[in-house]
Amino acid sequence: MKKRVLAVLLAATMAFGLMACGSSSSSSSSETEETTEEEAVEEEEAAAEETEAEEAEAEEETADVFEETEIQVFIAASLNTVMQEIVSMYNEIQPNVTITLNADSSGTLLTQIEEGYECDIFFSAAQKQMNTLEEDGLIVEGTRADVLNNQVVVITYAGSETSVTGLDNIGDAESIALADGSVPVGKYTREALISTGVLDGSKEASEYTTEEVSEALGGVEISEQSNVSKVLEAVKEASCEVGTTYYSDTYGYEDAVEILEVVSYDLTGDVIYPICQVQNDEADELQTEAAADFLAYILSDEVKDVLDSYYFDTDL
């Protein structure tokens, strides 16, 4: 009798155990299905959010592209080559903004702006012209910035075999290409000649005429040029034995000209290039916004790298 009771109890215990296992398995399966469904929902929500973000970004990029407009940018002649590349880079992100470059001496550009030429951005090779523009009340407030430094160099054409080694004996040349005093590179050259005692320093560097410089150098023949690019051209073509340009102007002409001396900042002072947005009363709202955007682009780190590659110094 006792054996039968034990057998019944044992059977009942085993049956209960099997039922419990079945219940546990069923519960585990149910939980797995619920977890899988939750993960699927989360993945769908994440995918939807990512799609919305991509669409919003695309809409924002589209909104940031200007409609067709044109801006006038006045630049020192020494910036002409590098600015063409910068404009090309900018048009990759703003294809509808036509940028017209007007390259000349900073003095000539200042005169044009004062005479009413339409201009949106002025990129000068010296502070003097920018100071005058500011005094005229023609700079958009808060937009003036110093962008880069440059250096004056004494150059000759390749293979010239000149005896000139730099400013110290530049008067030994048969002929010199020199920008006039209103042109920044001409002013800085005169500053260096004052520093070395060739010019007496009795007046502002820019006020020394070409004839006075020639006389101070012993009567050497000087071919006066209206901007730095024309100085480079005169030397490159061997029209003049030597000349003074900016270091950056020799970019791309390494095989055509030879640098005889890189003139120290101690002699010329810093050759700072400032930039600003010009108060253009003829510009509409779109043109004004595009000018501000291009100015900001010029001041970006991306453009600094380009300027450095063209022998400018952006480490101010």
Side-chain angles (χ1 to χ4, degrees):
M1 184 69 178
K2 289 180 179 180
K3 290 181 178 180
R4 288 182 181 177
V5 171
L6 290 172
V8 170
L9 288 173
L10 181 59
T13 300
M14 292 176 64
F16 181 78
L18 289 172
M19 289 176 63
C21 287
S23 175
S24 175
S25 175
S26 174
S27 174
S28 176
S29 175
S30 175
E31 289 176 359
T32 300
E33 290 177 1
E34 289 177 2
T35 301
T36 302
E37 290 178 1
E38 288 176 0
E39 289 177 348
V41 170
E42 289 176 356
E43 289 177 358
E44 289 178 3
E45 290 177 348
E49 290 176 358
E50 185 176 351
T51 300
E52 289 177 2
E54 289 175 351
E55 290 176 351
E57 184 177 351
E59 289 178 3
E60 185 177 347
E61 289 178 356
T62 302
D64 286 343
V65 175
F66 290 106
E67 296 178 4
E68 288 193 8
T69 189
E70 180 178 359
I71 61 175
Q72 307 293 323
V73 181
F74 285 24
I75 60 172
S78 53
L79 291 165
N80 193 30
T81 303
V82 69
M83 282 298 292
Q84 289 182 42
E85 179 171 340
I86 292 170
V87 168
S88 178
M89 292 167 56
Y90 180 74
N91 282 149
E92 290 181 6
I93 54 178
Q94 291 292 354
N96 297 329
V97 179
T98 299
I99 299 172
T100 300
L101 298 176
N102 177 17
D104 211 323
S105 76
S106 299
T108 298
L109 297 174
L110 171 64
T111 299
Q112 291 176 350
I113 296 171
E114 290 178 320
E115 290 178 349
Y117 284 57
E118 186 176 359
C119 174
D120 297 292
I121 292 174
F122 180 37
F123 201 166
S124 173
Q127 299 283 11
K128 179 180 179 181
Q129 288 76 19
M130 191 65 72
N131 291 341
T132 301
L133 195 68
E134 191 162 29
E135 291 167 3
D136 291 340
L138 294 175
I139 293 180
V140 175
E141 186 176 356
T143 64
R144 178 173 177 172
D146 293 338
V147 183
L148 54 88
N149 209 340
N150 210 342
Q151 276 188 286
V152 174
V153 293
V154 180
I155 62 170
T156 187
Y157 57 90
S160 72
E161 299 183 354
T162 181
S163 62
V164 175
T165 57
L167 282 181
D168 285 345
N169 64 341
I170 196 170
D172 294 341
E174 291 186 3
S175 58
I176 302 172
L178 178 67
D180 69 69
S182 69
V183 179
V185 72
K187 169 187 171 295
Y188 288 121
T189 300
R190 288 163 172 77
E191 290 280 9
L193 293 174
I194 291 173
S195 298
T196 56
V198 174
L199 295 176
D200 59 21
S202 60
K203 53 186 175 182
E204 290 291 325
S206 59
E207 295 177 0
Y208 283 94
T209 66
T210 297
E211 290 75 17
E212 289 173 322
V213 175
S214 173
E215 183 179 348
L217 289 171
V220 63
E221 178 188 339
I222 295 181
S223 175
E224 183 177 280
Q225 304 297 327
S226 60
N227 63 53
V228 70
S229 296
K230 291 182 178 179
V231 172
L232 177 69
E233 195 68 19
V235 176
K236 183 169 65 73
E237 294 182 348
S239 298
C240 293
E241 185 177 334
V242 299
T244 58
T245 65
Y246 292 123
Y247 183 29
S248 61
D249 286 288
T250 65
Y251 179 88
Y253 296 100
E254 292 84 357
D255 294 335
V257 298
E258 177 187 349
I259 296 176
L260 300 172
E261 179 189 8
V262 178
V263 182
S264 169
Y265 290 133
D266 292 337
L267 298 180
T268 62
D270 286 332
V271 185
I272 301 295
Y273 285 48
I275 195 170
C276 76
Q277 185 172 352
V278 179
Q279 189 68 51
N280 182 3
D281 295 334
E282 297 182 29
D284 58 23
E285 184 177 352
L286 177 59
Q287 185 176 339
T288 301
E289 289 178 359
D293 189 69
F294 185 53
L295 176 57
Y297 182 73
I298 292 172
L299 298 176
S300 69
D301 289 339
E302 181 180 2
V303 170
K304 281 185 178 181
D305 291 339
V306 177
L307 291 168
D308 285 334
S309 72
Y310 276 77
Y311 305 157
F312 292 103
D313 180 9
T314 60
D315 188 15
L316 301 180

